Amino acid sequence: MKLNPVTYQFDYNALHKFYQNSNPKLVQDAPQSAGNDMRQIGFMAQEIDSLCQAIGFDFGAVDRPSDTNSGIYGIRYTAFVPVLVKVTAGATIGNCRS
């Protein structure tokens, strides 16, 4: 298994509509963007969640909804930084030994 980056266009209007229907108090905390047409790159939270469960790693970067059939998953990308630094440092040390 590996991570598969994806490009997408995030629909902030749909997110706000979802929050208004499920919990209006969350609307004020939802991300704001005028650029609904801006392409972004990221990961599918469900894939990261499945990968972490498969390898037994409690990563904590995935916000899993209480109802996985109708809720919204989220990713905290800042949680990737220490992992990436550790992997990069290990790869650099390994390359120096070769």
Side-chain angles (χ1 to χ4, degrees):
M1 272 190 189
K2 65 179 187 170
L3 295 177
N4 299 303
V6 294
T7 57
Y8 60 94
Q9 289 178 262
F10 193 87
D11 189 345
Y12 287 95
N13 294 327
L15 178 66
H16 284 275
K17 185 176 179 181
F18 174 83
Y19 280 148
Q20 286 174 338
N21 291 335
S22 64
N23 188 345
K25 291 181 182 179
L26 291 176
V27 173
Q28 65 189 21
D29 297 329
Q32 302 284 330
S33 176
N36 271 342
D37 57 344
M38 189 168 56
R39 289 176 52 132
Q40 300 187 33
I41 188 167
F43 299 106
M44 298 293 294
Q46 294 88 333
E47 286 183 6
I48 294 172
D49 192 40
S50 295
L51 176 64
C52 290
Q53 287 181 21
I55 63 174
F57 183 58
D58 187 13
F59 189 27
V62 176
D63 294 322
R64 190 180 308 126
S66 56
D67 180 359
T68 57
N69 291 320
S70 63
I72 294 178
Y73 279 77
I75 298 176
R76 283 181 261 128
Y77 285 101
T78 55
F80 282 83
V81 174
V83 176
L84 293 172
V85 169
K86 184 166 180 68
V87 169
T88 303
T92 304
I93 291 169
N95 290 339
C96 291
R97 291 182 185 163
S98 298

